[in-house]
Amino acid sequence: MANVYYAQPLLNAISQDLDIGPALAGGVISATQLGCALALCFIVPLGDMLDRARLLRLQLCLLLPTLVAVALAKSAPGLLIAMAAVGLLGTAMTQGLIGYSAAMASPEERGRIVGAVQGGVVIGLLLARSVAGVVSDLGGWRAVYLASAGATLLMLALLSRLLRPLAPVDRGMRYRQLLLSMLVLLRDEPVLRSRGMLGLLMFAALGVFWSAMALPLSGPPFAYSQTEIGAFGLVGMAGALAAARAGHLTDQGKGQRVTLAALLCLLLCWAMLAGIGRMGVFIAGIVLLDLGGQAIHVVNQGMILTSRPDAQSRLLACYMLFYSVGSGIGAISSTMVYARVGWNGVCWLGAAISGSALLFWWRGAPRRGMRADGG
């Protein structure tokens, strides 16, 4: 998952190196999210009809040369194509591992298990921002992706030994039927639709902050280095704790209460983030942002995966399509708003999206999702 997030603290360095204007810098993130969307539509669902362990190993083999291609990119178009491929393979790997874990878990522990794995994802993506800053300061932004290629090679060796074969749900299903069944799930599963839309709004809010954060911090009066900017990602480590706890509470039938608390955190944080000149307040806002976002994410996954245990890979793919759209919208809109009206405009945008998420949940999602929540 780190590969999808490395570019966020590096946007300024990448845009200067390849002469990409500030207003279009978010396109690097959006290209990655396009790859995410393609993975969710065409690769992640394969977990329901193929051996997940073998599929994961194949994806790692393809990810390795893709990361090298990013490091060697000489033009903006070449970089965007390579970043889309990184988003495709990185997302397929991450969601494949979550689906693998959910399939191995018992129903009464599925929320806790998914929350634990999601906590690992949170830690990984937050460390990715910090590692990207450190490695970039030492060897440039291209060194980040070369180092990631080395880590991918190590991960391939480890997972090849650790992952046990896992029989698919339906060996007889054809690929075309598999893809069409995702449309059926979207039509027939109200929990998937409501939680998916909530996830879209939540991830758009996260994308607004993390995609634009490096722009004011790298300029005056801060002039922070890439290492310093990346270190802000560690502040959100509390999101990993929220992820694990939220999964446990979802298993106990308290997912809706967790959702309300998380949405309030997501809304209130923007007033703190607007005070970027007061670092203590700004850091507290990052904590609230990641706490709220990750808690919602885990509750969403717990509810959705419980609704149809026989279609977990497809359910994850459908749900994460909402995520991909939301993240892409947040990334490109935040950098465009920043180029026109600055950081305060970014915070107003984030607050508007977060408020829309709370309103959506208040008006409809609780009623549609209450049965899956246990009452």
Side-chain angles (χ1 to χ4, degrees), residues 4 26-43 77 79-92 320-329 331-332:
V4 181
V28 175
I29 308 298
S30 295
T32 310
Q33 296 305 323
L34 173 61
C36 294
L38 293 174
L40 296 169
C41 287
F42 301 111
I43 298 180
L79 175 69
L80 294 177
I81 293 171
M83 289 300 295
V86 167
L88 184 145
L89 293 165
T91 299
M320 294 304 292
L321 277 172
F322 289 96
Y323 146 82
S324 184
V325 172
S327 295
I329 291 173
I332 194 68

Side-chain angles (χ1 to χ4, degrees), residues 330-362:
I332 194 68
S333 62
S334 65
T335 53
M336 293 178 67
V337 168
Y338 181 81
R340 287 167 173 76
V341 294
W343 182 249
N344 283 337
V346 171
C347 291
W348 277 111
L349 174 63
I353 294 172
S354 300
S356 298
L358 179 60
L359 180 62
F360 173 81
W361 177 84
W362 187 263

Side-chain angles (χ1 to χ4, degrees), residues 196-211:
M197 188 62 196
L198 193 61
L200 184 152
L201 294 169
M202 179 270 293
F203 280 114
L206 292 180
V208 164
F209 174 75
W210 288 111
S211 297

Side-chain angles (χ1 to χ4, degrees), residues 280-334:
V281 175
F282 183 70
I283 288 171
I286 297 177
V287 172
L288 278 183
L289 178 74
D290 270 5
L291 273 171
Q294 296 306 324
I296 293 170
H297 187 34
V298 170
V299 172
N300 286 351
Q301 288 177 313
M303 288 184 175
I304 290 168
L305 291 174
T306 302
S307 66
R308 284 285 301 274
D310 61 314
Q312 288 172 342
S313 292
R314 283 165 286 169
L315 287 169
L316 276 174
C318 290
Y319 169 65
M320 294 304 292
L321 277 172
F322 289 96
Y323 146 82
S324 184
V325 172
S327 295
I329 291 173
I332 194 68
S333 62
S334 65

Side-chain angles (χ1 to χ4, degrees), residues 54-347:
R54 182 178 297 179
L55 187 61
L56 289 168
R57 289 193 294 269
L58 174 61
Q59 290 161 0
L60 274 174
C61 290
L62 296 175
L63 180 60
L64 182 58
T66 302
L67 290 168
V68 175
V70 172
L72 299 179
K74 300 298 184 184
S75 65
L79 175 69
L80 294 177
I81 293 171
M83 289 300 295
V86 167
L88 184 145
L89 293 165
T91 299
M93 272 294 306
T94 302
Q95 299 309 314
L97 285 168
I98 293 175
Y100 182 92
S101 302
M104 298 289 282
S106 61
E108 60 272 13
E109 291 187 320
R110 187 164 290 128
R112 181 179 64 82
I113 296 298
V114 170
V117 177
Q118 184 62 35
V121 173
V122 174
I123 292 172
L125 68 89
L126 292 177
L127 285 177
R129 295 169 181 139
S130 300
V131 169
V134 172
V135 176
S136 177
D137 281 343
L138 293 175
W141 70 267
R142 298 176 188 275
V144 174
Y145 291 94
L146 289 176
S148 182
T152 299
L153 183 61
L154 176 61
M155 188 160 53
L156 175 61
L158 291 173
L159 290 183
S160 294
R161 298 185 61 182
L162 294 174
L163 292 181
R164 292 180 293 165
L166 184 61
V169 176
D170 192 344
R171 293 180 181 270
M173 184 178 294
R174 295 180 179 274
Y175 183 59
R176 183 172 178 272
Q177 293 174 314
L178 185 78
L179 298 183
L180 290 176
S181 69
M182 294 171 64
L183 298 177
V184 176
L185 288 172
L186 284 168
R187 183 195 67 192
D188 294 344
E189 298 295 329
V191 175
L192 173 61
R193 292 196 304 272
S194 62
R195 285 284 156 175
M197 188 62 196
L198 193 61
L200 184 152
L201 294 169
M202 179 270 293
F203 280 114
L206 292 180
V208 164
F209 174 75
W210 288 111
S211 297
M213 178 196 72
L215 299 176
L217 292 179
S218 60
F222 305 104
Y224 288 154
S225 67
Q226 297 299 326
T227 299
E228 291 168 324
I229 293 173
F232 279 89
L234 295 177
V235 174
M237 196 70 76
L241 302 177
R245 185 62 181 167
H248 179 65
L249 291 173
T250 302
D251 287 335
Q252 296 180 338
K254 299 177 182 178
Q256 294 293 357
R257 300 177 206 177
V258 175
T259 300
L260 176 58
L263 286 170
L264 290 174
C265 288
L266 206 63
L267 180 61
L268 294 174
C269 73
W270 293 102
M272 300 178 182
L273 295 173
I276 194 170
R278 296 170 292 169
M279 275 299 141
V281 175
F282 183 70
I283 288 171
I286 297 177
V287 172
L288 278 183
L289 178 74
D290 270 5
L291 273 171
Q294 296 306 324
I296 293 170
H297 187 34
V298 170
V299 172
N300 286 351
Q301 288 177 313
M303 288 184 175
I304 290 168
L305 291 174
T306 302
S307 66
R308 284 285 301 274
D310 61 314
Q312 288 172 342
S313 292
R314 283 165 286 169
L315 287 169
L316 276 174
C318 290
Y319 169 65
M320 294 304 292
L321 277 172
F322 289 96
Y323 146 82
S324 184
V325 172
S327 295
I329 291 173
I332 194 68
S333 62
S334 65
T335 53
M336 293 178 67
V337 168
Y338 181 81
R340 287 167 173 76
V341 294
W343 182 249
N344 283 337
V346 171
C347 291

